[in-house]
Amino acid sequence: MNPLLLRSMLVTGLLIAALNVIFAGVEYGFGNLPGWFWLAQLLLIPAMLAPARLFPQAMSTPPYLNRAGLYALGWAAPYAVYKLTGDALRPGFNAGASLISVILTCILFGLLFAAIRKPQ
C-alpha cells in the first residue's frame, strides 16, 4: 500500500476521532463521556484502514454508479463508527434510525465524491 495513502488514512481516522470527542464533550461534558465511548474511537483506525483500497480503485473506475458505490463503501465503516458512537450517547438512542442515517449519508457521500473525482 502507498505510504502516503496509509498515512493519510491514519491521520484522517485520528482527526475524525478527535472531532467526535470534541463534539460529544461539548454537548455532554467531557467528564460525562463513558469509557466505552473513548475506547470506541480507537475503532476509527481499523475502520479507515479496512476500506483504504476502495478509494484508489474508485478513482480509476469510469462508470459513475460503480465509482459512487465504491466511495460509499469506503466511507461506510468510518462514518458508522463516528455516527453510532455519537448517537449511542443520547438517551433516546434508536439503532435502526441511526443505521438508516448512516446508509443514506454514505450513499450521498458516494454520489458526491463520484461526481467530484472523475477518472482521468
Side-chain angles (χ1 to χ4, degrees):
M1 182 181 300
N2 181 349
L4 179 62
L5 177 65
L6 179 63
R7 187 173 37 243
S8 298
M9 299 300 276
L10 287 172
V11 169
T12 303
L14 292 173
L15 285 173
I16 293 170
L19 286 175
N20 201 18
V21 168
I22 290 169
F23 292 151
V26 168
E27 187 171 347
Y28 301 106
F30 290 98
N32 295 331
L33 295 176
W36 64 263
F37 178 81
W38 293 94
L39 291 174
Q41 301 315 302
L42 295 175
L43 290 173
L44 280 162
I45 294 171
M48 289 300 294
L49 294 177
R53 297 185 194 279
L54 292 174
F55 292 114
Q57 183 180 354
M59 286 190 276
S60 63
T61 302
Y64 176 75
L65 289 178
N66 292 349
R67 192 169 62 248
L70 289 171
Y71 278 122
L73 286 173
W75 280 111
Y79 186 69
V81 171
Y82 171 82
K83 177 79 169 138
L84 294 174
T85 57
D87 285 354
L89 293 172
R90 293 189 173 88
F93 173 61
N94 183 341
S98 288
L99 187 57
I100 289 170
S101 172
V102 166
I103 292 168
L104 293 176
T105 303
C106 286
I107 289 171
L108 180 63
F109 281 174
L111 293 171
L112 289 172
F113 273 74
I116 294 169
R117 301 288 307 215
K118 297 176 186 171
Q120 279 76 356

